[in-house]
Every structure is written in C-alpha cells, then in structure tokens.
Amino acid sequence: MRFRDGTVVPALGQGSAGLGKGRHPQADEEEALRTGLSLGLTLIDTAEIYGSEKFIGRVIAGQRNRVFLVSKVWPNHVAGNGIARACEASLARLGTDHLDLYLLHWPNGVTDFSHVVRAFEDLHAAGKVRAWGVSNFNVRDMEKLFQIPQGDRCAINQVPYSLDDRGIERGLLPWCEQHGMPVMAYSPLGGPGASLLRDPTLARIGVAHGCSAAAVALAWIIRSGHVIAIPESGSVAHVKENAVALTLTLTPQELQTLDAAHPPPSR
Ligand SMILES: NC(=O)c1ccc[n+]([C@@H]2O[C@H](COP(=O)([O-])OP(=O)(O)OC[C@H]3O[C@@H](n4cnc5c(N)ncnc54)[C@H](OP(=O)(O)O)[C@@H]3O)[C@@H](O)[C@H]2O)c1
C-alpha cells in the first residue's frame, strides 16, 4: 500500500481508542501491541482524545522507527495556532519528534478547511508530520478540501468500513479510488464488541482457510489494495488471528458468498 507521494504504508494496523483503559490487564495490552508490531501490523492509530497516547508512547519506546504512527486533532483545537499546539502535545505524550500521519478527526464545526491545510503543511515543512489527512469526511467535504490550494495533498481519509457497514462503497470509496487516495477503515470488525464476528458465513470461510472469522473480515477489507484496516485488540491471541489477514486471499466464490450475506449498498 502506498500514499500518492510514494510513502509505503502497512495494509493492516492497530487501533487504540479503547486501550490503556483497563479493559484488559495493561501488560496484556502492551504485549498485544508489540505482538502486532512484530507480525507486520506496524501502523498504530491514536488520537488526542483517546487517552491512549502515553500508553502507546511506552509501548513504542526503543522501536519508534518500526512504527507508522498516526494521531488526530479534535476539531475544537483547529482555531488560531491550535493545531500546532495539539500536535506538540501529542508528540510529547507519544515521546516522539514526529508523526507519520496527522489527521483532522472530524470535519464537524470546522468552517475553514484552508486554515487546517495551512497548519498541516506548516507542520509538514517543520518535519513534525510526514503526511496529513482527514477522518469522517464525506464526498462533499472531500470536494471542498480539494478546491483549496494544497488541499489535494491530503494523504488519506479514515472512515468506518466493514462487511456490516459498506456505505462508503456508494460514493466515497470510488471517489477516493478515482483520486488515487487510499482509505483507512475503522471499526473493521464491527466496532467495540466485534459484533460482525458472530456472522456464521465468516466463520465458515475461516474454517475453509484454517483461520478465524476476524482474519476473513479483515482480508475482505484490504482485498483491493486501496484500503488499510485498523482493528483494535488488547489480546495477543486476537492480534495473532488478525495478522493472518495479511496473507489471506479470498476466492471470487467466497467474495460472492460474502456479498450475498452482506449486500453492497445500491448506488
Ligand atoms: N476516526 C474515528 O472517528 C474513529 C472512530 C472509531 C474508531 N477509530 C479507530 O479504529 C480503531 C478500531 O475500531 P473499533 O475499536 O471501533 O472497532 P473494531 O476494531 O472493529 O473492534 C474492536 C473490538 O474487536 C475485538 N477484537 C479484535 N480482534 C478480535 C478477534 N480476532 N476476535 C475477536 N474479537 C476481536 C476487540 O476486543 P479484544 O480487545 O478483546 O480483542 C474489540 O472489542 C479504534 O481503536 C480507533 O483507533 C477511529
């Protein structure tokens, strides 16, 4: 997987919205993230509002260079020099001098995208962020962004996408493909609780490949090479299952079966 500027990005990453909050013992969660890093899930997604940046900083200490680190600024920090300040605070919590990717978390309430683009480009010029992008943008938001000078330097849009939530196939996914821009799929297993994994079709296809339903759900998301998936897990066993998706290719017949069980949206 590559950004349009040629930057190589892992196809599978690890989310962290629910990590560092006592859902699992902290040592287990740290071990889960480290296991993911060693199995190729080298993109780690966080955000200033998740409260997981310090936790991630501890996990990646000593191996920052192996990690493709993503964080996000919340829209209420956009005014004035708020983006630069929010970025410095994220860098301090993460214990690093740069982010590989910095995203605007939501467009809601942001009236001037050109101010955001300027702030992101300034951070890029200062070497604090290697690339920038957006999250939760719809097609209209993307078109507005691309009309702004340097708005088309946006590297990626992070949005919800899974077999249970195929809405972006109607407009946003084709739009991003036409513009050569990858998409980052959040909640790829159906969100907290991973409700999607109760689907018997996924389990059946998993049995045929000797892998879990989770690996099938993730392989489906990254099938085109244009979408990165960021499942979250605080469990070593689950991370190992998820990493199998990197080497799993679903057959055309299996893709049809999944389409029948989880129909694509009508255009
Ligand atoms: N930009 C945004 O607005 C936005 C919004 C939501 C999420 N995100 C990002 O996307 C990441 C992932 O999304 P998400 O957390 O909403 O949902 P998700 O990744 O679809 O699901 C997470 C859930 O799946 C479970 N899980 C993971 N692997 C599993 C496996 N192999 N078998 C069974 N269960 C498994 C996890 O539990 P265990 O820990 O027990 O494995 C957790 O309950 C977030 O952490 C965050 O970084 C971004």
PDB file of all heavy atoms in Angstrom, residues 76-101:
ATOM      1  N   ASN A  76     -12.230  20.984  17.816  1.00  0.00           N
ATOM      2  CA  ASN A  76     -12.278  22.211  18.639  1.00  0.00           C
ATOM      3  C   ASN A  76     -10.888  22.799  18.896  1.00  0.00           C
ATOM      4  O   ASN A  76     -10.761  23.847  19.524  1.00  0.00           O
ATOM      5  CB  ASN A  76     -13.027  21.970  19.959  1.00  0.00           C
ATOM      6  CG  ASN A  76     -12.278  21.069  20.901  1.00  0.00           C
ATOM      7  OD1 ASN A  76     -11.268  20.466  20.513  1.00  0.00           O
ATOM      8  ND2 ASN A  76     -12.747  20.956  22.133  1.00  0.00           N
ATOM      9  N   HIS A  77      -9.837  22.151  18.380  1.00  0.00           N
ATOM     10  CA  HIS A  77      -8.484  22.698  18.515  1.00  0.00           C
ATOM     11  C   HIS A  77      -7.986  23.349  17.240  1.00  0.00           C
ATOM     12  O   HIS A  77      -6.802  23.665  17.118  1.00  0.00           O
ATOM     13  CB  HIS A  77      -7.504  21.583  18.922  1.00  0.00           C
ATOM     14  CG  HIS A  77      -7.571  21.262  20.383  1.00  0.00           C
ATOM     15  ND1 HIS A  77      -7.102  20.102  20.924  1.00  0.00           N
ATOM     16  CD2 HIS A  77      -8.066  21.978  21.420  1.00  0.00           C
ATOM     17  CE1 HIS A  77      -7.303  20.103  22.226  1.00  0.00           C
ATOM     18  NE2 HIS A  77      -7.895  21.226  22.549  1.00  0.00           N
ATOM     19  N   VAL A  78      -8.888  23.529  16.267  1.00  0.00           N
ATOM     20  CA  VAL A  78      -8.436  23.993  14.952  1.00  0.00           C
ATOM     21  C   VAL A  78      -8.143  25.495  14.926  1.00  0.00           C
ATOM     22  O   VAL A  78      -7.240  25.951  14.232  1.00  0.00           O
ATOM     23  CB  VAL A  78      -9.496  23.597  13.883  1.00  0.00           C
ATOM     24  CG1 VAL A  78      -9.344  24.419  12.626  1.00  0.00           C
ATOM     25  CG2 VAL A  78      -9.388  22.107  13.575  1.00  0.00           C
ATOM     26  N   ALA A  79      -8.865  26.286  15.712  1.00  0.00           N
ATOM     27  CA  ALA A  79      -8.752  27.752  15.617  1.00  0.00           C
ATOM     28  C   ALA A  79      -7.354  28.241  16.019  1.00  0.00           C
ATOM     29  O   ALA A  79      -6.654  27.581  16.798  1.00  0.00           O
ATOM     30  CB  ALA A  79      -9.798  28.405  16.519  1.00  0.00           C
ATOM     31  N   GLY A  80      -6.973  29.399  15.455  1.00  0.00           N
ATOM     32  CA  GLY A  80      -5.682  30.016  15.795  1.00  0.00           C
ATOM     33  C   GLY A  80      -4.530  29.064  15.527  1.00  0.00           C
ATOM     34  O   GLY A  80      -4.492  28.406  14.488  1.00  0.00           O
ATOM     35  N   ASN A  81      -3.591  28.970  16.482  1.00  0.00           N
ATOM     36  CA  ASN A  81      -2.480  28.014  16.303  1.00  0.00           C
ATOM     37  C   ASN A  81      -2.752  26.708  17.061  1.00  0.00           C
ATOM     38  O   ASN A  81      -1.827  25.997  17.467  1.00  0.00           O
ATOM     39  CB  ASN A  81      -1.142  28.636  16.723  1.00  0.00           C
ATOM     40  CG  ASN A  81      -1.117  28.931  18.215  1.00  0.00           C
ATOM     41  OD1 ASN A  81      -2.150  28.831  18.885  1.00  0.00           O
ATOM     42  ND2 ASN A  81       0.047  29.273  18.739  1.00  0.00           N
ATOM     43  N   GLY A  82      -4.037  26.402  17.214  1.00  0.00           N
ATOM     44  CA  GLY A  82      -4.441  25.225  17.992  1.00  0.00           C
ATOM     45  C   GLY A  82      -3.914  23.912  17.438  1.00  0.00           C
ATOM     46  O   GLY A  82      -3.592  23.001  18.213  1.00  0.00           O
ATOM     47  N   ILE A  83      -3.824  23.795  16.107  1.00  0.00           N
ATOM     48  CA  ILE A  83      -3.363  22.514  15.528  1.00  0.00           C
ATOM     49  C   ILE A  83      -1.894  22.283  15.888  1.00  0.00           C
ATOM     50  O   ILE A  83      -1.510  21.184  16.299  1.00  0.00           O
ATOM     51  CB  ILE A  83      -3.587  22.491  13.993  1.00  0.00           C
ATOM     52  CG1 ILE A  83      -5.096  22.508  13.704  1.00  0.00           C
ATOM     53  CG2 ILE A  83      -2.915  21.275  13.368  1.00  0.00           C
ATOM     54  CD1 ILE A  83      -5.477  22.401  12.234  1.00  0.00           C
ATOM     55  N   ALA A  84      -1.078  23.356  15.781  1.00  0.00           N
ATOM     56  CA  ALA A  84       0.348  23.216  16.130  1.00  0.00           C
ATOM     57  C   ALA A  84       0.484  22.855  17.610  1.00  0.00           C
ATOM     58  O   ALA A  84       1.295  21.988  17.983  1.00  0.00           O
ATOM     59  CB  ALA A  84       1.086  24.507  15.820  1.00  0.00           C
ATOM     60  N   ARG A  85      -0.346  23.480  18.447  1.00  0.00           N
ATOM     61  CA  ARG A  85      -0.250  23.195  19.891  1.00  0.00           C
ATOM     62  C   ARG A  85      -0.697  21.767  20.199  1.00  0.00           C
ATOM     63  O   ARG A  85      -0.071  21.051  20.981  1.00  0.00           O
ATOM     64  CB  ARG A  85      -1.100  24.192  20.686  1.00  0.00           C
ATOM     65  CG  ARG A  85      -0.464  25.573  20.816  1.00  0.00           C
ATOM     66  CD  ARG A  85      -0.794  26.208  22.176  1.00  0.00           C
ATOM     67  NE  ARG A  85      -2.222  26.145  22.456  1.00  0.00           N
ATOM     68  CZ  ARG A  85      -3.110  27.062  22.088  1.00  0.00           C
ATOM     69  NH1 ARG A  85      -2.706  28.160  21.461  1.00  0.00           N
ATOM     70  NH2 ARG A  85      -4.387  26.919  22.379  1.00  0.00           N
ATOM     71  N   ALA A  86      -1.793  21.355  19.563  1.00  0.00           N
ATOM     72  CA  ALA A  86      -2.300  19.988  19.786  1.00  0.00           C
ATOM     73  C   ALA A  86      -1.270  18.970  19.324  1.00  0.00           C
ATOM     74  O   ALA A  86      -1.056  17.930  19.969  1.00  0.00           O
ATOM     75  CB  ALA A  86      -3.617  19.784  19.040  1.00  0.00           C
ATOM     76  N   CYS A  87      -0.605  19.268  18.210  1.00  0.00           N
ATOM     77  CA  CYS A  87       0.401  18.338  17.675  1.00  0.00           C
ATOM     78  C   CYS A  87       1.567  18.217  18.663  1.00  0.00           C
ATOM     79  O   CYS A  87       2.001  17.094  18.972  1.00  0.00           O
ATOM     80  CB  CYS A  87       0.880  18.828  16.311  1.00  0.00           C
ATOM     81  SG  CYS A  87       2.042  17.684  15.538  1.00  0.00           S
ATOM     82  N   GLU A  88       2.050  19.358  19.168  1.00  0.00           N
ATOM     83  CA  GLU A  88       3.158  19.309  20.143  1.00  0.00           C
ATOM     84  C   GLU A  88       2.774  18.465  21.354  1.00  0.00           C
ATOM     85  O   GLU A  88       3.572  17.683  21.861  1.00  0.00           O
ATOM     86  CB  GLU A  88       3.520  20.723  20.630  1.00  0.00           C
ATOM     87  CG  GLU A  88       4.340  21.542  19.648  1.00  0.00           C
ATOM     88  CD  GLU A  88       5.653  20.890  19.221  1.00  0.00           C
ATOM     89  OE1 GLU A  88       6.202  20.061  19.977  1.00  0.00           O
ATOM     90  OE2 GLU A  88       6.106  21.193  18.113  1.00  0.00           O
ATOM     91  N   ALA A  89       1.535  18.625  21.822  1.00  0.00           N
ATOM     92  CA  ALA A  89       1.090  17.877  22.999  1.00  0.00           C
ATOM     93  C   ALA A  89       1.030  16.375  22.693  1.00  0.00           C
ATOM     94  O   ALA A  89       1.438  15.546  23.512  1.00  0.00           O
ATOM     95  CB  ALA A  89      -0.278  18.389  23.457  1.00  0.00           C
ATOM     96  N   SER A  90       0.548  16.023  21.501  1.00  0.00           N
ATOM     97  CA  SER A  90       0.513  14.604  21.117  1.00  0.00           C
ATOM     98  C   SER A  90       1.932  14.053  21.035  1.00  0.00           C
ATOM     99  O   SER A  90       2.207  12.946  21.517  1.00  0.00           O
ATOM    100  CB  SER A  90      -0.200  14.412  19.770  1.00  0.00           C
ATOM    101  OG  SER A  90      -1.599  14.527  19.927  1.00  0.00           O
ATOM    102  N   LEU A  91       2.841  14.814  20.403  1.00  0.00           N
ATOM    103  CA  LEU A  91       4.237  14.348  20.279  1.00  0.00           C
ATOM    104  C   LEU A  91       4.842  14.110  21.662  1.00  0.00           C
ATOM    105  O   LEU A  91       5.522  13.101  21.885  1.00  0.00           O
ATOM    106  CB  LEU A  91       5.075  15.378  19.509  1.00  0.00           C
ATOM    107  CG  LEU A  91       4.740  15.547  18.018  1.00  0.00           C
ATOM    108  CD1 LEU A  91       5.555  16.689  17.411  1.00  0.00           C
ATOM    109  CD2 LEU A  91       4.987  14.259  17.245  1.00  0.00           C
ATOM    110  N   ALA A  92       4.562  15.030  22.599  1.00  0.00           N
ATOM    111  CA  ALA A  92       5.129  14.891  23.949  1.00  0.00           C
ATOM    112  C   ALA A  92       4.580  13.626  24.614  1.00  0.00           C
ATOM    113  O   ALA A  92       5.318  12.852  25.219  1.00  0.00           O
ATOM    114  CB  ALA A  92       4.799  16.131  24.779  1.00  0.00           C
ATOM    115  N   ARG A  93       3.253  13.410  24.502  1.00  0.00           N
ATOM    116  CA  ARG A  93       2.668  12.216  25.136  1.00  0.00           C
ATOM    117  C   ARG A  93       3.194  10.937  24.502  1.00  0.00           C
ATOM    118  O   ARG A  93       3.397   9.930  25.174  1.00  0.00           O
ATOM    119  CB  ARG A  93       1.129  12.268  25.048  1.00  0.00           C
ATOM    120  CG  ARG A  93       0.496  13.245  26.024  1.00  0.00           C
ATOM    121  CD  ARG A  93      -1.023  13.116  26.023  1.00  0.00           C
ATOM    122  NE  ARG A  93      -1.617  13.541  24.766  1.00  0.00           N
ATOM    123  CZ  ARG A  93      -2.056  14.772  24.506  1.00  0.00           C
ATOM    124  NH1 ARG A  93      -1.990  15.712  25.432  1.00  0.00           N
ATOM    125  NH2 ARG A  93      -2.575  15.062  23.337  1.00  0.00           N
ATOM    126  N   LEU A  94       3.427  10.983  23.184  1.00  0.00           N
ATOM    127  CA  LEU A  94       3.889   9.784  22.479  1.00  0.00           C
ATOM    128  C   LEU A  94       5.402   9.590  22.608  1.00  0.00           C
ATOM    129  O   LEU A  94       5.930   8.537  22.228  1.00  0.00           O
ATOM    130  CB  LEU A  94       3.503   9.876  20.988  1.00  0.00           C
ATOM    131  CG  LEU A  94       2.010   9.680  20.701  1.00  0.00           C
ATOM    132  CD1 LEU A  94       1.638  10.255  19.335  1.00  0.00           C
ATOM    133  CD2 LEU A  94       1.637   8.195  20.754  1.00  0.00           C
ATOM    134  N   GLY A  95       6.096  10.632  23.073  1.00  0.00           N
ATOM    135  CA  GLY A  95       7.550  10.523  23.246  1.00  0.00           C
ATOM    136  C   GLY A  95       8.294  10.434  21.934  1.00  0.00           C
ATOM    137  O   GLY A  95       9.257   9.676  21.788  1.00  0.00           O
ATOM    138  N   THR A  96       7.847  11.220  20.952  1.00  0.00           N
ATOM    139  CA  THR A  96       8.492  11.189  19.639  1.00  0.00           C
ATOM    140  C   THR A  96       8.609  12.616  19.110  1.00  0.00           C
ATOM    141  O   THR A  96       7.969  13.536  19.639  1.00  0.00           O
ATOM    142  CB  THR A  96       7.676  10.305  18.661  1.00  0.00           C
ATOM    143  OG1 THR A  96       8.369  10.227  17.413  1.00  0.00           O
ATOM    144  CG2 THR A  96       6.288  10.861  18.407  1.00  0.00           C
ATOM    145  N   ASP A  97       9.416  12.785  18.043  1.00  0.00           N
ATOM    146  CA  ASP A  97       9.558  14.132  17.476  1.00  0.00           C
ATOM    147  C   ASP A  97       8.774  14.296  16.179  1.00  0.00           C
ATOM    148  O   ASP A  97       8.776  15.362  15.581  1.00  0.00           O
ATOM    149  CB  ASP A  97      11.045  14.479  17.257  1.00  0.00           C
ATOM    150  CG  ASP A  97      11.705  13.531  16.276  1.00  0.00           C
ATOM    151  OD1 ASP A  97      11.037  12.584  15.798  1.00  0.00           O
ATOM    152  OD2 ASP A  97      12.897  13.731  15.981  1.00  0.00           O
ATOM    153  N   HIS A  98       8.121  13.221  15.723  1.00  0.00           N
ATOM    154  CA  HIS A  98       7.303  13.370  14.514  1.00  0.00           C
ATOM    155  C   HIS A  98       6.200  12.312  14.469  1.00  0.00           C
ATOM    156  O   HIS A  98       6.326  11.236  15.071  1.00  0.00           O
ATOM    157  CB  HIS A  98       8.167  13.250  13.249  1.00  0.00           C
ATOM    158  CG  HIS A  98       8.618  11.849  12.974  1.00  0.00           C
ATOM    159  ND1 HIS A  98       9.670  11.259  13.625  1.00  0.00           N
ATOM    160  CD2 HIS A  98       8.107  10.899  12.136  1.00  0.00           C
ATOM    161  CE1 HIS A  98       9.815  10.013  13.192  1.00  0.00           C
ATOM    162  NE2 HIS A  98       8.885   9.767  12.299  1.00  0.00           N
ATOM    163  N   LEU A  99       5.155  12.637  13.734  1.00  0.00           N
ATOM    164  CA  LEU A  99       4.095  11.670  13.428  1.00  0.00           C
ATOM    165  C   LEU A  99       4.251  11.268  11.967  1.00  0.00           C
ATOM    166  O   LEU A  99       4.651  12.089  11.137  1.00  0.00           O
ATOM    167  CB  LEU A  99       2.713  12.311  13.595  1.00  0.00           C
ATOM    168  CG  LEU A  99       2.330  12.733  15.007  1.00  0.00           C
ATOM    169  CD1 LEU A  99       1.054  13.579  14.978  1.00  0.00           C
ATOM    170  CD2 LEU A  99       2.120  11.495  15.882  1.00  0.00           C
ATOM    171  N   ASP A 100       3.927  10.031  11.641  1.00  0.00           N
ATOM    172  CA  ASP A 100       3.951   9.635  10.234  1.00  0.00           C
ATOM    173  C   ASP A 100       2.718  10.151   9.510  1.00  0.00           C
ATOM    174  O   ASP A 100       2.751  10.368   8.307  1.00  0.00           O
ATOM    175  CB  ASP A 100       4.056   8.102  10.141  1.00  0.00           C
ATOM    176  CG  ASP A 100       5.378   7.650  10.714  1.00  0.00           C
ATOM    177  OD1 ASP A 100       6.403   7.824  10.027  1.00  0.00           O
ATOM    178  OD2 ASP A 100       5.404   7.196  11.878  1.00  0.00           O
ATOM    179  N   LEU A 101       1.644  10.334  10.266  1.00  0.00           N
ATOM    180  CA  LEU A 101       0.400  10.819   9.665  1.00  0.00           C
ATOM    181  C   LEU A 101      -0.400  11.544  10.739  1.00  0.00           C
ATOM    182  O   LEU A 101      -0.545  11.035  11.852  1.00  0.00           O
ATOM    183  CB  LEU A 101      -0.399   9.610   9.129  1.00  0.00           C
ATOM    184  CG  LEU A 101      -1.757   9.875   8.496  1.00  0.00           C
ATOM    185  CD1 LEU A 101      -1.604  10.696   7.208  1.00  0.00           C
ATOM    186  CD2 LEU A 101      -2.448   8.546   8.160  1.00  0.00           C
TER     187      LEU A 101
END
